[in-house]
Amino acid sequence: MSQGSFVFSPTALRSLQLDEDMLERHRYRKQLATHQLNGYLLKKEARERVTRTLVTATAPAVCHDLVIQNALYTGDKEAVQRVFPKGARTNLIIEPQGGDMRWVARGGGLWSLTYEQELTTPLHITAGRGFTECLRHLLLRGASVDLSPGGSTALHEACQSCQPECVKLLLSYGANANALSEDGLLPLHMCTSPESIECAKYLLQFGAAINGRSLDEDDTPLHVAARNGLLGHTELYLRYGAALDKKNDEGKTPLNSACSHPQELQDLERYLRVCRLLLEAGADLHAVDQDKQSPLHMACKNVNPEVVDLLLARGACVNEMDYGGQAPMHNILKVVCYKLSHKPERVVRSLLNHGSIRVWPGALPKVLKYCCGSPRTIEALINAYTRIKVTDDWVEAVPPEVFKEHQEFYESLFSLSESPRSLQHLARWKLRNFLDGRLIEVVPKLNLPTFLNNYLLLESRDYVH
């Protein structure tokens, strides 16, 4: 036997045979597995190919046909029926001409000024313009009810344009009442005007989420209704169980939103009614936003005297400070000159009558400079002191044209540099100081003559004495 060789015993031969059999079975299983995997991959590829084909076949096509566009934009029912006969494709994407100009990057690093196009569909066009019969025809022809090439659905468009019949029709054909737009808004968030109340009703009837949140601002529909001073919407949402205590990303409740939104003179009454309704429903008048601004802070900033009186009557804290150390009185004094038509002196008087902190006497010349256009505001502030030191700085703070317009008042004010306040005023100040925070509660119970009652509560006389 050669060196390095060895004799196989029967046991060793049997072991080798078993190993060979095991390897053979392993190769067989591997072959089988490979065959099955290849078959699965082939079938998967075939299925995906079919899916891609179907998607390609049903994907919306871009429409440049001006005849079709003209029929849609004019709401010509007969023309729409002709261009969309039975079997015609209704899921079209349309690029309206015009729009805002914007810079667009081109190849080679070049930029060009072009129109910003917003993609739309036949459904969007007809729904947004209230062409109900045209919309119905498109839906009957199979138009995709939730198609949103421009970032919002036709339902969003109909709600924004206040088209209740189109909203109802879209919902009855299966439109998603809780569809989110590209901007993260629900259809209910698009109901921002009094005329959209019927749209909101249909949405809620078809299951719209009453407390649904917008993605960016985290607003509920009640936030939107309160912010826009929509009394009908607010009543509707409260009946459907809208939450009063939900805060948005700025920490504002619906009541905060109503008080903080800029208000024109003609809108003050609407916002008052919305705030009263929210408070009667249980809204927290002490809720503050992320800057610790209360509803009273916000109502003072927007100079809504009736809302200020409402909040104070219900117990709002007149001297609560925000993160910047500002009380409601600071907020009103910063906007007096911009809101003269809103009668800011009424807000100042209400705050003082409820125990507001007064302006530091050394800062009165600065306040006079910015608030001189409202002499009644200055009068209320001055009457909160027993005595003040009128200097040349006071005279210089009032521009000549303002002095001329309100000459009688400012002459009486500047004369205080030479004479003390009257005994009548000192008696008023003493009584007000004694009653302090109980002034509003006590004075009406004294049964005083109207003149004295108003005098104690700092009603304007257009001069100081």
Side-chain angles (χ1 to χ4, degrees), residues 288-438:
V288 296
D289 65 5
Q290 61 187 11
D291 296 323
K292 290 195 68 177
Q293 293 256 333
S294 68
L296 184 59
H297 280 93
M298 300 165 184
C300 289
K301 188 174 182 179
N302 283 314
V303 195
N304 192 324
E306 297 292 345
V307 172
V308 169
D309 287 342
L310 173 66
L311 294 170
L312 289 171
R314 289 180 176 267
C317 183
V318 72
N319 288 319
E320 185 173 7
M321 300 289 184
D322 63 12
Y323 271 132
Q326 305 286 300
M329 180 63 82
H330 294 96
N331 277 10
I332 176 63
L333 294 180
K334 285 189 284 188
V335 297
V336 165
C337 61
Y338 306 109
K339 298 279 189 175
L340 295 178
S341 61
H342 289 212
K343 299 185 177 179
E345 69 274 7
R346 288 183 53 194
V347 175
V348 172
R349 282 202 306 265
S350 292
L351 294 175
L352 290 171
N353 288 336
H354 281 83
S356 170
I357 57 173
R358 297 174 297 173
V359 177
W360 176 55
L364 284 173
K366 185 176 181 181
V367 172
L368 180 62
K369 178 180 179 180
Y370 291 104
C371 300
C372 60
S374 175
R376 289 187 170 184
T377 297
I378 302 300
E379 179 184 350
L381 293 172
I382 297 302
N383 285 336
Y385 301 89
T386 54
R387 62 184 64 84
I388 52 174
K389 185 178 180 180
V390 177
T391 64
D392 292 341
D393 292 340
W394 289 55
V395 179
E396 294 172 0
V398 181
E401 61 274 15
V402 176
F403 178 86
K404 184 176 181 180
E405 183 179 356
H406 306 286
Q407 184 171 348
E408 181 179 357
F409 170 79
Y410 283 113
E411 284 179 346
S412 71
L413 175 63
F414 297 152
S415 69
L416 295 181
S417 62
E418 303 172 356
S419 59
R421 300 301 301 266
S422 68
L423 183 61
Q424 185 181 27
H425 166 72
L426 295 177
R428 170 175 61 179
W429 182 89
K430 188 68 175 180
L431 183 56
R432 285 177 60 89
N433 188 57
F434 174 75
L435 294 174
D436 196 20
R438 299 174 295 147

Side-chain angles (χ1 to χ4, degrees), residues 6 8 10-22:
F6 62 92
F8 283 99
T11 304
L13 290 173
R14 177 61 180 163
S15 178
L16 288 173
Q17 184 64 43
L18 289 174
D19 289 342
E20 186 177 354
D21 292 341
M22 186 182 294

Side-chain angles (χ1 to χ4, degrees), residues 115-188:
Y115 283 107
E116 183 177 2
Q117 303 295 345
E118 183 176 343
L119 302 179
T120 187
T121 70
L123 223 57
H124 285 71
I125 295 170
T126 53
R129 286 163 175 74
F131 301 146
T132 311
E133 292 305 315
C134 295
L135 177 64
R136 190 189 310 276
H137 178 76
L138 293 169
L139 290 168
L140 287 170
R141 291 291 179 264
S144 178
V145 74
D146 286 326
L147 192 63
S148 55
S152 62
T153 66
L155 186 58
H156 286 91
E157 192 83 16
C159 291
Q160 186 176 20
S161 302
C162 306
Q163 303 294 344
E165 290 306 312
C166 291
V167 168
K168 182 180 179 181
L169 187 58
L170 289 166
L171 289 167
S172 65
Y173 272 81
N176 183 3
N178 293 306
L180 274 176
S181 71
E182 189 177 51
D183 296 326
L185 301 175
L186 298 170
L188 269 181

Side-chain angles (χ1 to χ4, degrees), residues 253-283:
T253 64
L255 178 61
N256 295 96
S257 295
C259 293
S260 65
H261 193 71
Q263 302 159 20
E264 297 299 328
L265 184 61
Q266 65 271 17
D267 299 327
L268 297 182
E269 176 65 22
R270 288 196 298 120
Y271 282 93
L272 169 65
R273 296 172 69 186
V274 168
C275 290
R276 182 181 290 121
L277 180 60
L278 291 171
L279 288 168
E280 290 172 351

